[in-house]
């Protein structure tokens, strides 16, 4: 107690477990260097990796201008390695040892106890390490120098002894054939050091791209070190109940677990044991044993605390919907590489035959065994097994599906029914191709039941939607007239005209043909499954829950201005982000701006106003209103850039804050003018040489610019590739 009082708790820190980079994060341990120099300052010439061996090689430049560098020794090493003649295969093309290779080795095989930690805003985010690699200098160039030396000596000896070899007599050669290798000898050879070295050498190198500490891509990857969902969804490993935590500290011994356990048959699993398994395994075991089950019965077996949505997701992985009931899939009963116990037919043929029986039951409640056997060409025992899984035999009638039609489930879950109908359509097409069936475009409904409709064309759906819209309009008209008549008959309150509800305004608008067409299009869209593009997501079609045309326009909706109107908190917050972003990076494509905006959203707390939805149009309007201008870069016709990558925006009216602090007002004005001249050049050219940029800047500004001034403008707005200069984000490598 005294020790606890002397050491009070100063601060409690929330710990989060980030898993985005759990299988990709490596820790590199470099050799010790002077404190004044970091490895990020040293140019990385190349990097490559062997993923299976977790072996990395980094090639770094050596500072040959450093006073501690011995130039004569560097020239001597390059001469020993490459010889006097330099070619494309030379290790040191500059005839000077100007680079060094670092090769990795694993420090430990078990990295489960290590993690990388990032502390930000009072939260500690941990990411498990996948590997720890220690980098050491590689001296393979010395082996190359020794090989060159041995080649020269062998060439000299060959020249001296060529005369003697010509005079030697021809000798007889004896050919021997090796004996077959035994299994023990093969195992010894496979486990030998020479074989393992050869195996490691055969694995190809994968070349990597190195990104520096201050690169935008590195900044993007560092965001994954933060836990993406701070609501606790991703941190279940760190949230344990007291009993679970005690069990982790003091796990029971194997003897205690096995003691006092009732002995049950190997194929029997109690409900208590079943509920200790994951939900997906529980559903699979139940369906495999029962084979046919209504959804309500499945929920009662799993327990009242189980979420029905999760059960619906799990049941669709192991079962198919037949007449509103769930029937276990064929590949669950007949796994791969198994066969029939009656005829020895492989599992693939059995699954196809059982799928045909299930499909027949989606068409009718009755199936005749002889018809199934005639189509599938399977033996009677196999067909009987299929039918016994899901039907009962009726004398002089055939086999009837064992459960009644579950219309309640069909009405309650139309989305699941639609998805299952699409799956059955694909299975039907496959069965028609295999068994040469006549295609049934309109399947029959179960006798006495109102089952789901068969295949319906798009035109039929449009006609149905049109009739429903007209019926709804007529019903509303009649209801309105009836209520008016009731009001006329009753006495109206003082000050209110007869026939009008107090406080209610009824706006009557006849349904035009255009309105009917709109409802028809809406009905068509409702019938289609939802798809979102990987680039634009939901906002490419909807913005803040509205159609793109209405959300982007300036018209109001239900009497309220759109959420992106100037002066609203959302607009001010979005503009602050845009201005801050363009103060750091003067030129951005729309694609890069959207990526940075998504990173910004990931760093915001849940429920922030920007999560209400920002459309592309709103983002572009905010950029133009923040003093930026769209640069119409003439991309080449064969460009692979997407439309968002071809929209380039640049800061036009003001410079960055660093310019305002470092230089005077006149110099800041000159920098702004230089950038504008540069942007005008790229509005007419996709790529430009440096001398053209410098001559144009000199011509427009009326004075010769120094190299530092030109470099400043180019660094802010451009990138160099292959001797040409491009606007940032427009180069297509």
């Amino acid at each position: 107690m005294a020790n606890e009082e002397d050491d009070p708790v100063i601060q409690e820190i929330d710990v989060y477990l980030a898993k985005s980079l759990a299988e990709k994060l490596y820790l590199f341990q470099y050799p010790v260097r002077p404190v004044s120099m970091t490895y990020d300052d040293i140019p990385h010439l190349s990097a490559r990796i062997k993923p299976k061996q977790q072996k990395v090689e980094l090639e770094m430049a050596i500072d040959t201008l450093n006073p501690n560098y011995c130039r004569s020794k560097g020239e001597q090493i390059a001469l020993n390695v490459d010889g006097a003649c330099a070619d494309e295969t030379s290790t040191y093309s500059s005839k000077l040892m100007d680079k060094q290779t670092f090769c990795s080795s694993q420090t430990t095989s078990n990295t489960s106890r290590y993690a990388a930690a990032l502390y930000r805003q009072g939260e500690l985010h941990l990411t498990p390490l996948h590997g720890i690699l220690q980098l050491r200098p590689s001296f393979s160039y010395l082996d190359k120098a020794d090989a060159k030396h041995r080649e020269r000596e062998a060439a000299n000896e060959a020249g001296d002894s060529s005369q003697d070899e010509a005079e030697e007599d021809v000798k007889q050669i004896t050919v021997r054939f090796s004996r077959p290798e035994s299994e023990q000898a093969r195992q010894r050879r496979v486990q030998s050091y020479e074989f393992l070295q050869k195996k490691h050498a055969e694995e190809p190198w994968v070349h990597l791209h190195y990104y520096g500490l201050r690169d935008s891509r590195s900044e993007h990857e560092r965001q994954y070190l933060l836990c993406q969902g701070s609501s606790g969804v991703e941190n279940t490993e760190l949230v344990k109940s007291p009993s679970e935590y005690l069990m982790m500290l003091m796990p029971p011994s194997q003897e205690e677990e096995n003691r006092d356990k009732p002995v049950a048959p190997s194929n029997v699993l109690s409900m208590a044991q079943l509920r200790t398994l994951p939900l997906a395994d529980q559903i699979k075991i139940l369906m495999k044993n029962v084979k046919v089950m209504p959804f309500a019965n499945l929920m009662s077996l799993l327990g009242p605390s189980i979420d029905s949505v999760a059960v619906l997701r799990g049941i669709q992985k192991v079962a198919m919907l037949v007449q509103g009931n769930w029937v276990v899939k064929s590949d669950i009963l007949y796994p791969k590489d198994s066969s029939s116990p009656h005829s020895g037919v492989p599992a693939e043929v059995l699954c196809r035959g059982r799928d045909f029986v299930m499909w027949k039951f989606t068409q009718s409640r009755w199936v005749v065994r002889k018809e199934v056997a005639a189509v599938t060409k399977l033996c009677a025992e196999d067909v009987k097994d299929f039918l016994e899984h899901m039907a009962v035999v009726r004398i002089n009638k055939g086999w009837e599906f064992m459960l009644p039609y579950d219309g309640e489930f069909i009405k309650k879950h139309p989305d699941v029914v639609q998805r299952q109908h699409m799956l059955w359509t694909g299975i039907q097409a496959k069965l028609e191709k295999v068994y040469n069936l006549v295609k049934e475009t309109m399947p029959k409904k179960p006798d006495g039941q109102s089952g789901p409709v068969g295949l319906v064309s798009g035109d039929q759906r449009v006609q149905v939607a049109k009739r429903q819209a007209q019926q709804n309009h007529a019903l509303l008209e009649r209801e309105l007239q009836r209520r008016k008549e009731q009001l006329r008959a009753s006495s109206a309150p003082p000050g209110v005209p007869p026939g009008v509800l107090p406080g209610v305004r009824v706006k009557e608008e006849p349904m035009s043909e255009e309105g009917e067409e709109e409802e028809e299009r809406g009905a068509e869209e409702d019938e289609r499954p939802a798809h979102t593009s990987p680039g634009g997501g939901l906002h490419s079609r909807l913005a803040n829950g509205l159609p793109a045309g209405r959300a982007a326009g300036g018209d109001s909706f239900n009497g309220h201005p759109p959420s992106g109107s100037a002066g609203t908190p959302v607009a001010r917050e979005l503009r602050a982000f845009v201005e801050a972003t363009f103060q750091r990076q003067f030129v951005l494509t729309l694609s890069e701006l959207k990526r940075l905006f998504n990173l910004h959203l990931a760093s915001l707390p849940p429920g922030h106003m920007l999560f209400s939805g920002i459309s592309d149009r709103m983002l572009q309007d905010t950029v133009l209103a923040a003093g930026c201008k769209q640069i119409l870069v003439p991309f080449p016709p064969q460009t692979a850039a997407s439309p968002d990558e071809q929209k380039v925006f640049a800061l036009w009216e003001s410079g960055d804050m660093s310019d305002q602090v470092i230089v005077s007002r006149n110099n800041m004005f000159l920098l702004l003018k230089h950038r504008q001249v540069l942007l005008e050049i790229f509005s007419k050219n996709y790529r430009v040489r440096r001398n053209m940029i410098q001559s144009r800047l000199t011509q427009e500004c009326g004075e010769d610019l120094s190299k530092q001034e030109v470099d400043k403008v180019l660094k802010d707005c451009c990138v160099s590739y292959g001797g040409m200069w491009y606007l940032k984000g427009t180069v297509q490598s």
Side-chain angles (χ1 to χ4, degrees):
M1 293 296 294
N3 292 337
E4 292 181 0
E5 293 177 357
D6 295 341
D7 190 11
V9 176
I10 299 176
Q11 182 184 4
E12 292 186 358
I13 301 174
D14 293 333
V15 180
Y16 296 91
L17 183 63
K19 292 185 177 181
S20 300
L21 299 178
E23 299 296 329
K24 306 173 184 177
L25 190 61
Y26 290 85
L27 175 65
F28 286 1
Q29 295 179 345
Y30 288 86
V32 178
R33 297 191 69 86
V35 179
S36 60
M37 181 181 297
T38 64
Y39 278 93
D40 190 66
D41 299 330
I42 303 175
H44 288 62
L45 302 179
S46 64
R48 57 182 185 172
I49 185 174
K50 289 186 176 182
K52 293 182 180 179
Q53 305 176 37
Q54 293 189 358
K55 184 177 181 181
V56 177
E57 277 192 5
L58 297 179
E59 194 174 82
M60 300 184 183
I62 298 177
D63 185 10
T64 58
L65 302 179
N66 193 292
N68 297 323
Y69 180 80
C70 182
R71 192 174 185 85
S72 60
K73 189 67 175 176
E75 293 175 350
Q76 184 62 42
I77 292 175
L79 181 62
N80 294 339
V81 173
D82 299 327
C85 299
D87 53 12
E88 295 180 354
T89 61
S90 300
T91 304
Y92 305 109
S93 57
S94 62
K95 296 185 179 181
L96 188 68
M97 184 182 177
D98 55 356
K99 57 185 177 181
Q100 188 176 14
T101 303
F102 289 85
C103 188
S104 69
S105 61
Q106 285 190 352
T107 58
T108 177
S109 58
N110 183 18
T111 59
S112 59
R113 298 183 296 113
Y114 299 93
L118 182 62
Y119 182 76
R120 177 172 293 184
Q121 297 178 357
E123 297 175 351
L124 186 64
H125 299 260
L126 301 179
T127 302
L129 289 176
H130 189 62
I132 301 177
L133 304 179
Q134 196 172 66
L135 296 173
R136 295 187 177 91
S138 174
F139 301 99
S140 57
Y141 60 89
L142 296 179
D143 298 334
K144 189 174 180 180
D146 293 341
K148 289 269 187 181
H149 180 67
R150 286 193 295 269
E151 287 177 2
R152 286 194 294 269
E153 289 184 349
N156 294 334
E157 292 178 0
D160 297 339
S161 59
S162 58
Q163 186 67 25
D164 299 335
E165 291 178 357
E167 297 175 358
E168 289 182 358
D169 297 334
V170 178
K171 294 183 179 180
Q172 184 179 2
I173 298 176
T174 304
V175 180
R176 296 181 180 180
F177 296 93
S178 61
R179 292 178 297 177
E181 188 179 26
S182 63
E183 183 63 24
Q184 294 181 351
R186 191 189 69 81
Q187 291 181 358
R188 286 196 299 268
R189 180 177 59 83
V190 169
Q191 296 175 359
S192 64
Y193 176 78
E194 182 181 359
F195 181 83
L196 293 177
Q197 288 294 104
K198 182 180 178 182
K199 198 74 174 176
H200 289 170
E202 289 176 353
E203 183 181 357
W205 288 100
V206 178
H207 292 274
L208 307 174
H209 295 284
Y210 177 82
Y211 295 97
L213 180 65
R214 300 172 185 85
D215 193 273
S216 61
R217 185 61 62 89
S218 299
E219 180 183 354
H220 172 69
E221 293 296 329
R222 276 197 298 274
Q223 294 294 328
Y224 289 116
L225 294 175
L226 298 174
C227 181
Q228 300 300 316
S230 57
S231 59
V233 177
E234 214 174 311
N235 304 308
T236 54
E237 291 84 353
L238 303 180
V239 180
K240 300 291 182 182
S241 64
S243 58
E244 292 174 336
Y245 185 67
L246 184 62
M247 187 67 67
M248 292 172 62
L249 292 177
M250 301 179 61
S253 61
Q254 192 69 22
E255 297 178 357
E256 294 178 357
E257 290 182 354
N258 297 331
R259 189 173 58 193
D260 299 333
K261 273 190 176 180
V263 179
S266 59
N267 61 339
V268 176
L269 190 65
S270 67
M271 291 301 297
Q273 292 175 328
L274 182 68
R275 289 177 179 172
T276 61
L277 300 175
L279 180 61
D281 294 339
Q282 294 184 43
I283 297 173
K284 183 177 180 180
I285 292 173
L286 286 173
M287 292 305 304
K288 189 174 181 180
N289 284 275
V290 181
K291 298 182 177 59
V292 183
M293 190 185 307
F295 186 74
N297 291 10
L298 179 62
M299 289 298 300
S300 63
L301 290 174
L302 294 175
S305 61
I306 303 299
D307 183 19
S308 61
V309 178
V311 178
L312 275 175
R313 282 198 297 264
I315 190 66
Q316 294 182 70
K317 297 179 182 177
V318 297
M320 296 290 293
L321 191 66
V322 178
Q323 299 187 23
N325 302 282
W326 292 98
V327 182
V328 65
K329 288 184 177 180
S330 302
D331 54 0
I332 302 295
L333 296 178
Y334 303 107
K336 192 177 180 180
D337 299 331
S338 63
S339 59
S340 168
H342 306 293
S343 59
V345 173
E348 182 181 359
V349 180
L350 292 176
C351 290
R352 194 161 54 229
R354 188 174 180 274
D355 287 345
F356 175 74
V357 175
M358 293 169 62
W359 173 74
K360 290 291 288 182
F361 276 119
T362 63
Q363 315 298 304
S364 173
R365 287 195 60 82
W366 298 90
V367 170
V368 180
R369 189 175 69 171
K370 291 183 179 179
E371 294 180 1
V372 175
V375 172
T376 60
K377 303 296 189 296
L378 293 173
C379 68
E381 289 80 5
D382 288 335
V383 176
K384 186 178 180 181
D385 285 348
F386 299 159
L387 293 170
E388 287 178 345
H389 291 166
M390 62 192 84
V392 290
V393 64
R394 306 294 185 192
I395 300 175
N396 297 329
K397 288 188 176 182
W399 291 79
E400 183 186 12
F401 193 71
M402 63 172 54
L403 295 179
Y405 182 82
D406 193 351
E408 183 180 354
F409 179 85
I410 297 292
K411 295 177 182 177
K412 191 175 180 180
H413 304 282
D415 53 338
V416 178
V417 175
Q418 178 67 17
R419 194 178 302 114
Q420 289 291 312
H421 176 69
M422 294 172 64
L423 292 175
W424 277 121
T425 304
I427 294 175
Q428 177 183 352
K430 188 183 299 183
L431 294 174
E432 289 171 354
K433 184 177 181 181
V434 173
Y435 294 133
N436 296 323
L437 303 177
V438 178
K439 187 173 182 180
E440 299 180 16
T441 57
M442 295 296 291
K444 296 182 292 183
K445 298 179 183 178
D447 299 339
Q449 305 290 342
S450 58
V453 189
L455 300 176
V456 181
S457 65
D459 293 335
Q460 292 173 337
R461 290 177 180 172
V462 171
Q463 295 299 328
V464 170
K466 187 174 182 179
R467 287 195 298 269
Q468 289 179 352
Q470 293 174 349
Q471 292 173 2
N472 292 339
H473 180 64
L475 290 174
L476 290 174
E477 285 285 350
R478 288 196 296 269
E479 179 67 14
L480 181 61
Q481 294 297 332
R482 185 182 64 82
R483 295 185 66 180
K484 284 183 177 182
E485 292 173 359
Q486 290 178 355
L487 288 172
R488 291 192 188 98
S490 62
S491 60
V496 179
V500 179
L501 283 173
V504 178
R505 297 175 60 190
V506 180
K507 184 177 181 181
E508 300 180 37
E509 292 181 1
M511 176 172 284
S512 62
E513 295 181 1
E514 183 179 355
E516 293 179 2
E517 292 176 1
E518 184 69 26
E519 287 202 27
E520 294 167 15
R521 287 195 296 271
E524 280 192 276
E525 291 295 333
D526 293 339
E527 293 293 338
R528 299 173 186 166
H531 295 281
T532 56
S533 62
L538 187 60
H539 296 306
S540 61
R541 184 168 59 90
L542 294 178
N544 300 334
L546 302 176
R550 295 177 68 178
D555 56 341
S556 62
F557 181 66
N558 286 342
H560 299 281
S563 60
S565 301
T568 62
V570 176
R572 289 195 295 268
E573 189 75 17
L574 180 61
R575 177 153 181 169
F577 161 76
V578 170
E579 290 177 347
T581 302
F582 276 93
Q583 292 290 353
R584 294 192 302 268
Q585 305 184 42
F586 298 101
V587 179
L588 285 172
T589 63
L590 180 59
S591 175
E592 179 69 9
L593 181 61
K594 289 164 65 175
R595 185 184 70 83
L596 295 176
F597 182 65
N598 289 332
L599 285 177
H600 180 64
L601 289 180
S603 64
L604 296 177
H608 194 272
M609 63 180 68
L610 286 181
F611 284 105
S612 60
I614 303 298
S615 65
D616 292 355
R617 174 71 176 274
M618 189 187 306
L619 185 61
Q620 294 179 62
D621 291 345
T622 306
V623 170
L624 297 176
C628 300
K629 183 177 179 181
Q630 184 174 359
I631 309 302
L632 302 177
V633 179
F635 282 82
Q638 67 277 12
T639 181
S642 65
D644 284 352
E645 291 174 344
Q646 295 185 31
K647 293 183 179 179
V648 185
F649 296 92
L651 188 63
W652 187 263
E653 295 182 357
S654 62
D656 59 342
M657 296 303 294
S658 60
D659 291 342
Q660 299 175 20
V661 176
I662 296 174
V663 300
S664 64
R665 181 178 299 273
N666 292 334
N667 288 342
M668 184 182 70
F669 175 75
L670 289 176
L671 282 174
L672 177 60
K673 186 177 180 181
H674 296 166
R675 291 194 195 110
Q676 292 177 353
V677 172
L678 181 66
L679 295 174
E680 288 178 354
I681 294 175
F682 280 102
S683 65
K684 301 177 181 178
N685 302 276
Y686 174 61
R687 55 183 181 180
V688 188
R689 293 190 180 275
R690 181 189 174 95
N691 56 3
M692 177 182 174
I693 295 174
Q694 189 159 0
S695 62
R696 180 69 180 276
L697 288 173
T698 303
Q699 178 183 354
E700 294 291 336
C701 299
E703 59 181 3
D704 292 336
L705 300 180
S706 63
K707 183 178 181 299
Q708 289 77 10
E709 291 175 330
V710 177
D711 289 342
K712 168 66 175 172
V713 178
L714 291 176
K715 182 181 178 182
D716 289 344
C717 305
C718 304
V719 292
S720 176
Y721 185 79
M724 304 293 289
W725 287 88
Y726 302 79
L727 273 185
K728 286 185 178 179
T730 62
V731 60
Q732 301 294 318
S733 56

